[in-house]
Amino acid sequence: MINSVLWTPLLFGILGLFVPRRWAGWVVVGGAAVTLGLAIGLLAGFDSGASGLQDTVDVDWISGLGVSYSLGLDGLNVFLMMLTALLWLPAVAFAAMRQPDRPHLYFLMLALGETATLGAFLAQDLLLFVLFFDLMLVPFYFLFGAWGQDRPDGTTAVAATMKMIVYTLIGSLLMLVAAIATAILAADGGQLSFSIVDLQQNVLSEGSQRWIFWFFAAAFLVKMPAFLLHGWMPDAYRAAPLPALAVFSAVLSKVGAYGFLRVVLPLFPDATIEFQEIVLVIALASILYGSVMAFTQTNVRLIAGYSSVAQLGFITAGIFALRPDGADGALLQMVNHGLVVAPVFLIIAVLAERAGTEDLREMGGIALRAPVLAAMFLIVTLATLAMPGSANFIGEFYILNGLFQAKIVFAFVAGAGMVLAAYYALRLYQRTMHNRKPEPIDSRDLGWRDAAVLVPLVGCIVALAFYPQLVLKRTDAAVGNQLRQAQRVDSNRPLTWQRGRESEAASISDSARPSGSGAAAS
Amino acid sequence: MEAVAFFAGAIGALGGAIAVVGLRNPFYSVLALVVHLVSLAGLFLLLHAEFVAAAQVVVYAGAVMVLYVFVAAYVGGIQEPVWEPIPGQRLLAPLLGGALFIELSIAVLGSSLRALGDEGPTIPAGFGSPEQIGTVLLERFLIGFEAASMLLLLAAVGAVVLAGRKREGEEAASEEATS
Amino acid sequence: MSATTYAWLVLLFPLGGSIVIALGYRTWSGRTAGWIGTGAIALSFVNAIAAFVQLQGEPAKARHLTSTLWDYANAAGLDIKLGILVDPLSVFMILVVSGVSMLIHLYSVGYMGSDRGYTRFFSYLNFFVFSMLLLVLAGNFVLLIVGWAFVGFASYALISFWYRRATATGAGMKAFVINVVGDVGLVFAAILIFRELGTFDYLEVFDRAPGGFHTNEWTIVAICLLILVGAFAKSAQLPLHTWLPDAMEGPTPVSALIHAATMVTAGVYLIARTHPLFELAPTAADIAAFTGLATLLVAGSIALVVTDLKRIIAYSTMSQIGYMVVGVSIGAYSAGLFHLMTHAFFKALLFMAAGSVIAAMANRQDIDRMSGFGRAMTFTSVMLIIGSLALAGFPFTSGFFSKDAILSYASTRGGMYEIFTVLGYVGALMTAIYSFRIVFRVVAGEPCSEAEELAETGHVVHAEPENPATGDVEDTDVGFPGPEHHIAEQAPTMRMAMGALAVLALIGGVLQIPGVDDAITKFLEPTFEDSALAAIQPSVGDEWRDLTIGGAIAVVGIFMAYLLYVARPASTAVLVRRLRPLHTFLVNKWYFDELIDVAIVRPALAVGSFCNRVFERLVVQGLVAGTVDVVRGAGGVVRTAQSGFVRSYALLLIGGFTGLGLYFLLSSS
Amino acid sequence: MAVEWYLVLSALLFAVGAGGVLIRRSPLVILLCLELMLNAGNLALVAFSRMLGNADGQVFALVVMVVAACEVVVGLGLIVAIYRRRLPLNVDELRGLRG
Amino acid sequence: MNFNAPDIDYAALSPVIALTGGICVVLLAGVFDRVRRAVPLLTLLTLGAAAGLFIWQWGERKDLVAGALRLDELAVAVALIAILAAAFCVLISVREPAVSQAGSGEYHVLLLGSVLGMTLLAQAQNLVSFFIAIETLSVPLYVLCATNLRRAESLESGLKYLIIGSMGSATLLYGLAFIYGGSGSTDFTGIAAGIGKEGVLGDPLVLVGIALAATGLAFKISIAPFHQWTPDVYQGAPTPVTAFMAVATKAAAFAVFVRFFDVALAPEAGDWDVALAVLATASIAVGNIGALGQDSLKRLLGYSGIAQAGYMLGGLVVASEAGINALVFYLAVYSLMNLAAFAVIVARERETSFGDEIRAVEGLGSERPLLAWPLTISMLALAGLPGTAGFIGKLYLIEALVDGDYTWLGVAIAVGTMISLAYYLRVVAAIWMRPAEDTAVTAEVPAVAGASPEADPIDADAGGRWYLVGPALLAAAATVFFGVIPQPLVEWAEHAGAALSQFLP
């Protein structure tokens, strides 16, 4: 089952090569639909109470190198798998309706992208994870480079894509080294294994953890992208074809955050605690910087892009609160943000078709004869800014709660991000949909085909808004699992809520001891 | 006596080598190399390498040098410009040559191997004689021997390819190039 | 059915109405959407009454009913339920909200009749009512925040309802962002409460709070201050008030419903709701009270000078909410809520009347251009006068009883709280003056051309539509204030709604006449039973003394207004000239907008522009470009070395060996 | 004579040969210089052979002679080919390939 | 003095003998006009026979001919790579102008001769066979590089290769002499015993000998700073020869490098490992940086080869079984990747008037997908992207490095790979993301403006010829196959390492 979820998209992508051009896209749409069906099947059979892996597959792949083909589901990735399967379908369908040129390659790459992304989420072998993590880039390199748009200022799509690839691979390659080092150091001369579960049993020495942590962090932070490491994002986002960008921004950026939860927290707990504040500072800088950039940009894609920087900052902050509530929130927020960003980019595509421009200053008034489009966009916008009542709010609420309990000052700064989010999200909505309509803009409502893509997505957002517990119920146990190592190291960090006064007292008595973490580690 | 012979040979070999590098006319350089080779053969004799010395004179100074002379005559006098186009080469080349010599000498002189300092062990009669060389060659270095013959074959083929018969169209090409 | 079931129904109808109206946006013709909306709210009101009846049927001790639909978000110890709390306070609020909303819907059916966004308007309006009801019914802090944000959104959507006006969209944005500031305050309050008490549930929080905190401990003060951030942002208290005047860009029924009667009073409700916390943090409560006082004075003073009809009423709203905030902060809960209710009546009425006038003026809102509508629009004028009387606290109108109840409580509590009484009367004087400034300007005097035309032909003037704020000619398509808003004289539904409100505004006070009855205090008692402050009750005598003073001040104020605007119309100009700096200061609204602009907006934009122009380009891209340059430079070196000279290759080979040999020599023993 | 002397001489010859490659431009002379380097190697081999009393070095030297001859043959062939192709017989001018 | 003929194991020597016989046959066939057309076929048969015999000998581990050679899996593996490369070269040489210039018989004899040198080199176990083998490998290559006699670049590359190559040989020889002098033996095992002795270990004579030998070998595998001939020679030589040279020479030289350093010089490993690691890093840097902005594909691959050699040197530096496994694995993968690329370059060279310039592959994706895919896969694999054997190869190498406490070298590989993306992906971008150059279409007109008068005749259908497309597709398919199912190749490589395990430190 889990195998078929993983490989179905690619299979259909290859099948698509053998049908006439017109149908290539629809074959891949079919593949995405089948994948979604299978994913729903997996979700339905998922045991939400269990914290371990389910539906596992584990076969030797390269036994000489200790690499196995090992997949599995737990609360951490079950919804990310769903998200991938769910978002790929509309994105592919959206593209199929527009018939790009050289469709065979285009849809093969989209399909490969889905398989690679699913692989990154499902992999339970560290090296397999790295492999899929890197593989994800390949299809998007083709998609962005070959179907991207050159900018009038001379930046070509190819150049922008190149920057993205080199930038993001910097981290990935360092991560490869780090992953290998992790396994070798953990094996300590014994049987080499990259299985993440096995690696959790032998936590490395603090010294090794330090540099390995940063190698992994580099990969994940670039991918998100986080503040200062986002240099590839503006050019790439402006170049990318929108259906591909929708899934790229919605799903691929989550792999970074997911990596922190899946790999970094359990495998490098000491380093995680040591560098918690540095990562939090980066996360907060991402929130603030992303927000500030988002409300000063005039290119609609960049607004969405920088808003993603900010949102991923929230997610990172939630993870690095190192508390179950923060991590639960982060996971929920990953799903939410994915669900929100994909329609944003699809809507941007629709808007750009109507406006003939992607410059906010030249847009406006599109809501005039497009009430359905306006309504969809409005819902998406509100979810983006984490309006209370949306699942995004619950995500941010959990994150802020975790952050607040862990590092109170950081939480307040993050709170500022919520206000800024309201401004930039609404600004995007208003400047495109409202105000006066410049002459050349065509205010048309969604065609039924675009509506068929967008409305179900928005439906998912609304549904999740009513019942975020759907996600939280399934993530909770697994999140606790991932945090156990960090808890073990830092024993005075409560797993769940404790009466404030009690935990205060506990922390006082802990700090009276020479070193809480040292004592626990020994 | 041996010292005198050594120094005579050494001066000949070194002088020849320097002349090869220093003489402007390639033809003279070839001749200087012959002097060098012959001197070297003398040194080989001092080292009890009779067969090697003989081969040196016969094969090298004889056969190979003839080739050189032919080619030097064929291509005629080549004028080397005095101007040095590569910046730093004129300075660095002797410097590196010197450094190379010093390094190698340090390696030799600084070595703690005892044997370096004396003449070498007493050696059995017939050391270096064609007979002994032949035995060693065929017993222990048969592969080297065979391979060397293949190498000669290949070199001959290569020479034929490069300098051999003129092929159709080559004149045309060279005329084009000159025009 | 139990009270909670009715309460769920109260929520269901407006939500359903909103969705039904929205989904049928192509189907609903004519005024169908308006009637569906009104009907939904009416049903909601009926259910609210049913809930009230059911709740009254319970014993007083058991009037805190909760009900949960499902676990909303329950993980990692945070137990957030989709649950409501039905107690006297929430029932009181749903009655007021649904009742007033119903009337305003009714009014809108007529007023918005020819607006091209008719369906959209009612969908939004129903959604607003749903949100407001959710806010008051919420059983925990998270759901409260949800409702809180929903009303903020509804407010945004309705303020920028005429979205083709840049002023309207700008005002909407301002309102929304400031409201989000409030939301964030509440979020942190909730999180801090959770940290200290481990729950979000109202009843549990109030139950645990007395044991969890010492009085005036910093945490509880912080919690209350964070709650106040939310409350002040929503209720337009200083310094988060600047959005409210701008919010008048929305259609007038919106101003009546959201920005006068219901939403803006949510802050008052919130303080009342969380009174157990505030009573543990008297410092925070005092801060709230003084802020309310400051707001009521500042807003009152501004209302004296601005000339935009709706903005005057908006400042008056701020001022009146100031009274309520003072009330609930110092402990006069029932008085504050009583004022909340009466204010909803008369302020809605005032806005409705103003809307009618504005329609007659072809959407112009400058009171300096209005005069003499008394004859042309008799009904509207009467309504305007009734509303103004109630607002001014003219004896025996509803405002008379409710406002003075607050001031009376303050004087009874004594000590420093006397200040509130004294300055409250000062505010009351201003209230009387500005409210009758409206009346005298609009009703009295020589009829202006619009009034004249209306009186003679019975037709409303049709002018080239223009934006009252900027004077720009309007774009005459959807999303612009429809050219033919209706006046009450010609729209029966409007008259019905206004008439009902006028009655309530006049006689609403009978619910709580000192010495006669105290229905509201009685009804709300279960909610405030644990409150020490609620126990303080001014004696009937004191109350009547204060009522007398208040009534006198109202009469004096009205008389002063008469002098200024009717008897000696020129005197205002003289006053303006004499007090030029003061007038400028007031006309510029105490420079709050400018202050916020300088302190927050500009720095933020400057930071944004710095990030965009400098940081992104130099640091972020520079990081890339720098690396690329280094690599390129190195590439240049490599390629220069690759000169094509075979001798230089040989040189490098020998050089490389020399280096390598040197390393080996050095490493040799 | 001590073997050292031969080795130092060999090193000197090697350096002279290397220096010659670095400064001469005629491919013919460069080939000669390469011969010098190989011969220096031969001298070292024979000297070591003497030092060790082991004939392996001498056999090695013979093989090197063959190699040297082969290189010369091919090198001269190339020079002829270049000459026929009317290209300059100056290695400095043969720099069409670079960068 | 009596003569003891060495024991000759003909079965084990059979591949070498087959090659030698093949050389004679092909040489003769080339002379006669009638059978000249069959020369490529005969060459392939020879290679096939040698390969078959090698495979037959797979698993044997024994010394041959008085210890001059050693037949083991490492030797066989590398010899197979060389033979594979030669076979590819024969195929893509069909209709190559250089072949007709040199004469088909001669060309193929030289090729086979070089292969012979490589197989010997891979097996070489004493200094004499080592040196003679490396010359047998090189001398035919000098000639092959220059075989396109009409092109000045070809001659230039031949001369440059000869000069620098001979200099490298001389250096190597000098080093071998010192090592012989220091250890008193010419056999690798004897050397190991000799230099491992107290008093010799760390002696400057031996160390400088190692430095000299390292220089000579590093030159052969294009390690910086002895790399400078590589781009020039790769670019100037006829493309099939470049392909052969890039792959096979590197493989054979690495084989002997491993055998010599990890076996004979193992006692001194503590001295040379750091030095070689530094050289590896330098190569990674120089190769990758130099390849940026190159317009000639062959030149680009030349620089890339320098960088890749740097990666592979890492496998040697750690002097462990895992390191050798990784090295052999990478060599195999490297061969596949490069051969695919070169086959495509040959096709485009003949098809367009742009030669090996990157312009020649612009728009290839829509024009000739069957050529575009192999080149794309090759580039992605060289860049080490997952899904290709290149990724597994890097993984293997880095794993060996980390295991051998050379993590920093692993990081250097990672950093180098990042830089390399810029130029590998530039090729991919040219293939898929640019329209075809107009002039490529008018291929029928040979002498377009700007084309060199020496330009070889254009064969407009070259991109469809089976002997070009076939090898390219095959190599690319293998690259992907071993990227997805690497286990067989890994096991194959593990044999090679195991063969040396008894000698390793």
Side-chain angles (χ1 to χ4, degrees), chain E residues 245-288:
Chain E
M245 191 162 52
V247 170
T249 315
K250 203 158 274 180
F254 258 116
V256 79
F257 210 147
V258 166
R259 213 184 276 281
F260 190 50
F261 274 72
D262 284 352
V263 175
L265 302 179
E268 293 281 14
D271 283 315
W272 54 255
D273 59 353
V274 179
L276 289 189
V278 171
L279 289 187
T281 316
S283 298
I284 293 170
V286 167
N288 284 319

Side-chain angles (χ1 to χ4, degrees), chain C residues 631-632 634-636 638-639 641-646 648-657 660-661 663-665 667-669, chain E residues 160 164 167 202 204 207-208 210-212 215 219 225-226 228-229 231-232 271-272 274-275 286 289-290 292-294 299 303:
Chain C
V631 172
R632 285 238 174 90
V638 169
R639 297 181 67 166
Q642 195 75 20
S643 57
F645 290 114
V646 71
S648 92
Y649 299 177
L651 185 84
L652 191 65
L653 192 136
I654 297 293
F657 161 70
L660 198 61
Y663 166 79
F664 275 101
L665 278 180
S667 74
S668 79
S669 45
Chain E
K160 277 184 172 168
I164 302 292
M167 202 158 174
L207 286 176
V208 170
I210 293 175
L212 284 161
T215 305
F219 149 81
F226 318 112
Q228 286 194 297
W229 60 277
D232 288 8
D271 283 315
W272 54 255
V274 179
V286 167
I289 288 170
L292 296 171
Q294 293 292 353
R299 211 173 172 75
Y303 275 110

Side-chain angles (χ1 to χ4, degrees), chain C residues 18 107 149 162 185 195 198 235 266 278 332 338 372 395 426-427 429 466 477 500 565 574 602 643:
Chain C
S18 172
Y107 173 86
W162 289 318
R195 188 176 98 151
S235 293
F278 278 93
F338 180 36
V426 174
L429 181 65
E466 62 180 36
D477 216 322
Y565 301 110
V574 176
R602 274 172 203 234
S643 57

Side-chain angles (χ1 to χ4, degrees), chain C residues 107-451:
Chain C
Y107 173 86
S108 306
V109 168
Y111 184 76
M112 297 297 286
S114 49
D115 197 291
R116 288 172 125 159
Y118 194 73
T119 4
R120 189 161 56 92
F121 181 81
F122 279 97
S123 181
Y124 284 166
L125 212 57
N126 263 18
F127 180 75
F128 166 76
V129 176
F130 160 72
S131 312
M132 188 67 204
L133 293 169
L134 180 65
L135 189 162
V136 295
L137 279 171
N140 59 53
F141 279 96
V142 178
L143 211 55
L144 166 83
I145 294 169
V146 171
W148 199 260
F150 275 8
V151 292
F153 159 68
S155 153
Y156 157 77
L158 286 162
I159 291 170
S160 49
F161 177 76
W162 289 318
Y163 57 75
R164 315 209 69 185
R165 276 180 177 175
T167 48
T169 54
M173 177 77 92
K174 191 171 176 180
F176 193 81
V177 171
I178 292 179
N179 271 307
V180 169
V181 172
D183 295 351
V184 172
L186 277 186
V187 165
F188 281 116
I191 289 175
L192 194 52
I193 288 171
F194 178 77
R195 188 176 98 151
E196 297 303 319
L197 303 176
T199 179
F200 295 112
D201 195 84
Y202 283 152
L203 293 181
E204 286 179 41
V205 167
F206 301 149
D207 191 37
R208 293 179 192 175
F213 301 106
H214 312 292
T215 303
N216 257 344
E217 187 186 339
W218 77 266
T219 36
I220 185 69
V221 174
I223 289 170
C224 290
L225 289 179
L226 286 167
I227 291 176
L228 285 180
V229 172
F232 287 173
K234 194 67 71 189
S235 293
Q237 299 297 291
L238 295 180
L240 299 173
H241 66 285
T242 55
W243 63 273
L244 183 61
D246 288 3
M248 297 301 127
E249 286 287 342
T252 307
V254 172
S255 311
L257 177 58
I258 300 181
H259 306 121
T262 54
M263 184 189 87
V264 286
T265 58
V268 179
Y269 161 77
L270 181 63
I271 297 174
R273 170 57 82 201
T274 55
H275 70 273
L277 302 179
F278 278 93
E279 289 187 10
L280 284 166
T283 313
D286 291 344
I287 290 172
F290 277 104
T291 313
L293 182 64
T295 308
L296 88 86
L297 293 173
V298 168
S301 68
I302 297 171
L304 288 172
V305 295
V306 289
T307 55
D308 181 304
L309 176 54
K310 283 177 74 179
R311 281 195 161 76
I312 299 174
I313 308 178
Y315 279 108
S316 125
T317 304
M318 270 172 67
S319 173
Q320 295 303 310
I321 296 167
Y323 281 106
M324 298 175 214
V325 168
V326 168
V328 291
S329 301
I330 60 175
Y333 304 118
S334 54
L337 290 165
F338 180 36
H339 193 54
L340 186 156
M341 181 185 78
T342 57
H343 173 256
F345 299 152
F346 61 70
K347 192 52 69 65
L349 176 64
L350 260 180
F351 264 119
M352 288 175 173
S356 186
V357 172
I358 289 166
M361 290 292 293
N363 286 315
R364 289 193 195 86
Q365 301 182 359
D366 188 346
I367 53 166
D368 287 348
R369 289 194 53 181
M370 302 171 185
S371 63
F373 273 105
R375 196 167 66 86
M377 298 171 75
T378 319
F379 180 78
T380 303
S381 300
V382 170
M383 294 299 124
L384 197 62
I385 292 167
I386 292 173
S388 295
L389 284 174
L391 173 59
F394 194 78
F396 307 110
T397 58
S398 59
F400 170 70
F401 291 109
S402 57
K403 177 167 37 179
D404 288 312
I406 296 170
L407 302 179
S408 182
Y409 178 92
S411 72
T412 309
R413 203 168 161 197
M416 105 184 149
Y417 297 98
E418 298 278 7
I419 299 170
F420 294 101
T421 319
V422 176
L423 293 179
Y425 283 129
V426 174
L429 181 65
M430 289 196 276
T431 310
I433 297 173
Y434 67 66
S435 56
F436 272 81
R437 175 171 170 235
I438 300 171
V439 172
F440 293 135
R441 275 292 165 90
V442 174
V443 179
E446 285 297 302
C448 60
S449 59
E450 288 86 353

